[in-house]
Amino acid sequence: MIEAQLGRDPDKPWSWPSYLATLRDRLRCPVLLLVVTVDDAVARWCARPIETGHPGWVLTPLVVGPSHVPRVTDEAMAVRVPELAVLSILAHGKGDDAEDIGRAALAGAARLDDERARLYADLV
Protein backbone atom coordinates (compact mmCIF):
# COMPACT_ATOMS: atom_id res chain seq x y z
CA MET A 1 0.00 0.00 0.00
CA ILE A 2 1.39 3.40 -0.94
CA GLU A 3 0.31 6.48 0.97
CA ALA A 4 1.21 10.09 0.20
CA GLN A 5 1.63 12.06 3.41
CA LEU A 6 1.95 15.85 3.27
CA GLY A 7 1.89 16.52 7.00
CA ARG A 8 1.63 14.95 10.42
CA ASP A 9 -1.72 13.31 10.98
CA PRO A 10 -2.30 11.95 14.49
CA ASP A 11 -4.87 9.47 13.12
CA LYS A 12 -2.34 7.63 10.92
CA PRO A 13 -0.72 5.53 13.67
CA TRP A 14 -4.23 4.19 14.31
CA SER A 15 -5.40 3.79 10.71
CA TRP A 16 -2.24 2.43 9.02
CA PRO A 17 -2.28 -0.92 10.89
CA SER A 18 -5.98 -1.23 10.04
CA TYR A 19 -5.34 -0.49 6.34
CA LEU A 20 -2.72 -3.25 6.19
CA ALA A 21 -4.78 -5.82 8.06
CA THR A 22 -7.79 -5.14 5.84
CA LEU A 23 -5.74 -5.27 2.64
CA ARG A 24 -4.00 -8.47 3.76
CA ASP A 25 -7.37 -10.09 4.43
CA ARG A 26 -8.83 -8.94 1.11
CA LEU A 27 -5.86 -9.94 -1.07
CA ARG A 28 -4.78 -13.00 0.93
CA CYS A 29 -1.09 -12.17 0.60
CA PRO A 30 1.66 -10.31 2.47
CA VAL A 31 1.33 -6.53 2.38
CA LEU A 32 3.51 -3.57 3.26
CA LEU A 33 3.10 0.15 3.81
CA LEU A 34 5.17 2.67 1.85
CA VAL A 35 4.70 6.30 2.84
CA VAL A 36 5.94 8.96 0.41
CA THR A 37 6.38 12.54 1.56
CA VAL A 38 8.01 15.73 0.30
CA ASP A 39 9.17 16.85 3.75
CA ASP A 40 12.01 15.24 5.71
CA ALA A 41 10.50 16.13 9.09
CA VAL A 42 7.25 14.45 8.08
CA ALA A 43 9.26 11.48 6.80
CA ARG A 44 10.93 11.09 10.21
CA TRP A 45 7.54 11.31 11.93
CA CYS A 46 6.03 8.69 9.59
CA ALA A 47 8.93 6.29 10.13
CA ARG A 48 8.33 5.95 13.86
CA PRO A 49 7.39 2.43 14.97
CA ILE A 50 3.70 1.99 15.77
CA GLU A 51 3.00 -0.19 18.80
CA THR A 52 -0.21 -2.07 18.02
CA GLY A 53 -0.58 -3.63 21.44
CA HIS A 54 -0.35 -7.17 20.09
CA PRO A 55 2.86 -8.98 21.16
CA GLY A 56 5.35 -9.02 18.32
CA TRP A 57 3.38 -6.71 16.04
CA VAL A 58 5.07 -3.35 15.79
CA LEU A 59 4.42 -1.65 12.47
CA THR A 60 7.39 0.35 11.20
CA PRO A 61 6.31 2.07 7.98
CA LEU A 62 8.69 2.18 5.06
CA VAL A 63 9.17 5.85 4.23
CA VAL A 64 10.58 7.75 1.25
CA GLY A 65 11.28 11.43 1.81
CA PRO A 66 13.35 14.00 -0.07
CA SER A 67 16.61 12.88 1.52
CA HIS A 68 16.02 9.38 0.08
CA VAL A 69 15.55 10.61 -3.50
CA PRO A 70 18.45 11.76 -5.68
CA ARG A 71 18.26 15.03 -7.59
CA VAL A 72 18.02 13.87 -11.21
CA THR A 73 19.20 16.74 -13.40
CA ASP A 74 20.86 14.67 -16.11
CA GLU A 75 18.49 14.09 -19.04
CA ALA A 76 20.24 10.86 -20.06
CA MET A 77 19.63 9.44 -16.60
CA ALA A 78 16.00 10.63 -16.73
CA VAL A 79 15.53 8.77 -20.01
CA ARG A 80 16.97 5.58 -18.42
CA VAL A 81 14.83 5.84 -15.26
CA PRO A 82 11.91 8.21 -15.93
CA GLU A 83 10.05 7.17 -12.78
CA LEU A 84 13.00 8.22 -10.63
CA ALA A 85 13.18 11.53 -12.50
CA VAL A 86 9.50 12.21 -11.78
CA LEU A 87 9.96 11.26 -8.14
CA SER A 88 12.95 13.61 -8.06
CA ILE A 89 10.90 16.61 -9.17
CA LEU A 90 8.16 15.73 -6.69
CA ALA A 91 10.72 15.55 -3.88
CA HIS A 92 12.87 18.54 -4.87
CA GLY A 93 10.53 20.70 -6.94
CA LYS A 94 10.88 23.70 -4.67
CA GLY A 95 14.67 23.76 -4.56
CA ASP A 96 17.13 25.94 -6.44
CA ASP A 97 17.66 23.29 -9.11
CA ALA A 98 13.95 22.57 -9.65
CA GLU A 99 14.01 23.85 -13.24
CA ASP A 100 16.87 21.50 -14.17
CA ILE A 101 15.16 18.56 -12.46
CA GLY A 102 11.86 19.35 -14.17
CA ARG A 103 13.50 19.65 -17.59
CA ALA A 104 15.20 16.27 -17.10
CA ALA A 105 11.96 14.64 -15.93
CA LEU A 106 10.08 15.94 -18.96
CA ALA A 107 12.84 14.66 -21.26
CA GLY A 108 12.50 11.23 -19.67
CA ALA A 109 8.72 11.29 -19.95
CA ALA A 110 8.82 12.31 -23.62
CA ARG A 111 10.29 8.92 -24.57
CA LEU A 112 7.47 6.89 -23.02
CA ASP A 113 4.15 5.68 -24.39
CA ASP A 114 1.52 8.42 -24.66
CA GLU A 115 -0.43 7.44 -21.56
CA ARG A 116 2.55 7.43 -19.20
CA ALA A 117 4.09 10.48 -20.89
CA ARG A 118 0.92 12.50 -20.22
CA LEU A 119 0.67 11.28 -16.63
CA TYR A 120 4.30 12.05 -15.86
CA ALA A 121 4.15 15.45 -17.59
CA ASP A 122 1.09 16.31 -15.48
CA LEU A 123 2.97 15.32 -12.33
CA VAL A 124 5.96 17.44 -13.32
Side-chain angles (χ1 to χ4, degrees):
M1 183 180 103
I2 300 175
E3 171 114 345
Q5 194 65 40
L6 300 177
R8 293 179 186 204
D9 182 343
D11 291 331
K12 293 303 177 175
W14 300 103
S15 59
W16 284 339
S18 174
Y19 294 169
L20 288 181
T22 301
L23 188 61
R24 182 178 182 273
D25 178 53
R26 193 174 86 222
L27 298 178
R28 301 288 179 186
C29 68
V31 294
L32 59 86
L33 170 64
L34 173 64
V35 181
V36 180
T37 182
V38 295
D39 182 279
D40 280 323
V42 174
R44 286 188 297 277
W45 180 83
C46 292
R48 296 179 311 162
I50 299 168
E51 295 285 342
T52 66
H54 184 81
W57 185 21
V58 177
L59 173 60
T60 304
L62 304 172
V63 180
V64 173
S67 63
H68 302 102
V69 179
R71 295 174 183 273
V72 178
T73 57
D74 178 60
E75 290 185 16
M77 181 177 194
V79 168
R80 284 192 310 276
V81 282
E83 291 79 9
L84 181 60
V86 171
L87 190 57
S88 181
I89 191 63
L90 294 175
H92 306 294
K94 295 186 179 188
D96 294 338
D97 53 357
E99 193 172 313
D100 294 333
I101 297 170
R103 190 175 4 267
L106 289 173
R111 307 262 178 118
L112 299 172
D113 60 90
D114 287 346
E115 185 178 347
R116 282 195 305 160
R118 280 193 300 276
L119 173 63
Y120 291 2
D122 284 348
L123 287 169
V124 173

